[in-house]
Amino acid sequence: MKALVLITDAFGGRGGIAKFNRDFISSLCSHPNYSVVVAIPRKKLCDRLENLPQKLTYITSGVAGKLSYFLTVSNTIRKSSKFDLIVCGHLYMLPLAWLVKLWTKAPILLEIYGIEAWKPHNNLVSYCLPAVDGVVSISQITFDRFQAWAKIPKAQQFLLPNAIAIEEYGYAAKNPELLSRYGLKDKTVLMTMGRLDSYERYKGFDEVIELLPDLSQIIPNLVYLIVGEGFDRERLEEKVRSLNLQKQVVFTGFISEAEKADHYRLADSYVMPSKGEGFGFVFLEAMACGIPVVASKVDGSREAVRDGLLGILVNPDDPEEIKAGILESLQHSIGSISQGLEYFSYKNFELRCHKILDRIVPK
């Protein structure tokens, strides 16, 4: 069988959606019933393409714009005799997937991730929703909020949480070069990693910054490490200056994938009291490095820590509860990697993915 995958990005891309798509495509390629997988990314590549699965044809000629992407998809379909499955990697791509279904008669498997699916999209997307045969979500909260407005009862629903390659992380001592780079020697470090996006002010950076004066009364050597880059950094830096916290907040800017694990290991607690995470892959990465985590009760983060089994849950709208969660997390031992994290292993992700594929296109 042959699958066509329409995605924002995957191989050569960055961020949680790209990571999920890489794992999904790799699982699709490992399924014994699929001999050909064609994936077409919409976004320009950030990194070099490496280690593509053997069955995968990865077509990057459609990244120049909407017309370019449409022509690339059209040409791909014309050159192929048949596709048995259409994977639609984002809601805004559904109208195109709908057209492809008219052409190929193949079922559509729609992927949803988080806030992009929590509220209604435009009328065109809504019109195309009844054509969806299956929906894959990384969290139950995203399913529930999507179904509340989408109302497509005929579509099969599948939960497929993110995967973590635990063996690529692990506990290690704090990197001396990074300690020196950021001035963190002999400091107690709170950390949040994420895109500093002015359109996504839901990760909890503000909430943690506002607690630092109180927390510092209890932990005088406390530092908050913000890892990531984005257009909201300037606003956050101004907030730090207005609170006179320049010595207690460190902005790293963008870091490479190669340095990511060592940055997590700088933390004594990973803290992200968010309100709009579809899942929170960063929690898996932090926990895979043996770092205690503080997550939110109100979004997909609670599913990343398995409803509190793997981490501490707090209400992001309650500063005192966040403060208590942070202090509790700092009492936990660093370096302990829970066996419960195996639930999110790539092996389990692949098994779940194969079961979904067998339900959408039976053997």
Side-chain angles (χ1 to χ4, degrees):
M1 294 194 295
K2 299 171 68 174
L4 177 65
V5 186
L6 309 178
I7 44 171
T8 54
D9 54 351
F11 298 94
R14 296 173 183 168
I17 290 179
K19 169 67 167 60
F20 182 90
N21 284 332
R22 287 195 296 272
D23 289 339
F24 189 93
I25 291 170
S26 296
S27 298
L28 183 52
C29 289
S30 70
H31 193 292
N33 289 356
Y34 287 86
S35 57
V36 175
V37 177
V38 179
I40 308 176
R42 174 69 177 82
K43 294 182 179 179
K44 294 181 180 179
L45 305 183
C46 299
D47 302 311
R48 290 189 304 170
L49 293 177
E50 295 179 351
N51 303 320
L52 295 179
Q54 286 188 344
K55 296 178 185 177
L56 177 62
T57 300
Y58 201 63
I59 302 174
T60 60
S61 58
V63 299
K66 292 181 180 179
L67 178 59
S68 171
Y69 192 76
F70 176 80
L71 292 175
T72 298
V73 172
S74 299
N75 290 335
T76 300
I77 296 171
R78 276 197 293 266
K79 291 177 182 177
S80 174
S81 58
K82 179 186 177 185
F83 281 105
D84 303 281
L85 174 67
I86 306 158
V87 178
C88 179
H90 201 285
L91 265 173
Y92 80 75
M93 305 175 84
L94 183 57
L96 179 57
W98 180 84
L99 288 174
V100 174
K101 180 174 183 176
L102 288 181
W103 196 337
T104 64
K105 310 302 180 185
I108 296 174
L109 184 61
L110 172 67
E111 297 176 345
I112 56 175
Y113 311 97
I115 58 171
E116 92 289 343
W118 289 5
K119 295 180 180 179
H121 271 243
N122 59 52
N123 291 336
L124 184 56
V125 168
S126 297
Y127 176 81
C128 296
L129 278 171
V132 172
D133 299 275
V135 181
V136 171
S137 175
I138 63 174
S139 65
Q140 187 63 49
I141 191 170
T142 293
F143 255 147
D144 294 342
R145 295 190 181 184
F146 171 73
Q147 188 61 19
W149 66 268
K151 296 179 173 60
I152 46 174
K154 293 183 180 179
Q156 299 183 71
Q157 297 185 355
F158 306 101
L159 189 63
L160 185 62
N162 288 81
I164 180 76
I166 303 170
E167 66 279 2
E168 295 180 6
Y169 295 87
Y171 172 71
K174 297 186 179 186
N175 184 303
E177 191 278 323
L178 293 182
L179 287 174
S180 177
R181 183 191 302 180
Y182 302 125
L184 299 177
K185 186 177 181 181
D186 298 324
K187 302 292 185 181
T188 298
V189 180
L190 306 180
M191 174 184 158
T192 308
M193 180 182 292
R195 185 172 55 249
L196 310 184
D197 195 326
S198 56
Y199 294 101
E200 298 179 2
R201 293 177 182 170
Y202 57 71
K203 291 187 180 293
F205 295 114
D206 290 89
E207 287 77 1
V208 177
I209 290 171
E210 290 163 9
L211 282 172
L212 289 177
D214 283 349
L215 287 168
S216 296
Q217 296 296 316
I218 304 169
I219 310 167
N221 64 338
L222 188 68
V223 171
Y224 182 33
L225 188 67
I226 296 178
V227 182
E229 192 55 275
F231 293 116
D232 206 32
R233 175 171 173 171
E234 184 177 347
R235 182 191 67 83
L236 289 170
E237 288 179 325
E238 177 56 37
K239 184 169 193 170
V240 168
R241 285 191 292 269
S242 71
L243 295 171
N244 197 27
L245 295 171
Q246 296 94 317
K247 294 183 179 180
Q248 293 171 275
V249 181
V250 176
F251 292 85
T252 71
F254 171 78
I255 64 164
S256 68
E257 193 70 24
E259 287 191 311
K260 183 185 286 187
D262 273 342
H263 277 75
Y264 280 115
R265 296 175 186 126
L266 293 174
D268 296 287
S269 174
Y270 184 87
V271 184
M272 196 169 80
S274 55
K275 301 176 185 178
E277 284 294 311
F279 180 80
F281 181 68
V282 286
F283 290 108
L284 302 189
E285 292 181 314
M287 290 186 292
C289 291
I291 308 303
V293 301
V294 179
S296 169
K297 291 178 177 178
V298 303
D299 63 10
S301 303
R302 68 177 301 139
E303 296 178 50
V305 299
R306 300 189 66 188
D307 290 315
L309 177 65
L310 303 178
I312 298 167
L313 290 171
V314 298
N315 180 351
D317 291 318
D318 187 337
E320 286 301 314
E321 193 167 320
I322 299 172
K323 177 182 172 182
I326 291 172
L327 293 173
E328 180 185 346
S329 72
L330 291 173
Q331 300 303 311
H332 291 192
S333 60
I334 296 175
S336 176
I337 300 173
S338 172
Q339 291 296 315
L341 203 56
E342 182 64 26
Y343 178 83
F344 299 110
S345 70
Y346 176 76
K347 179 181 178 181
N348 284 331
F349 179 95
E350 185 180 58
L351 289 172
R352 294 180 185 117
C353 186
H354 285 185
K355 290 179 180 179
I356 292 169
L357 295 169
D358 289 339
R359 289 277 301 277
I360 292 296
V361 186
K363 298 178 183 179

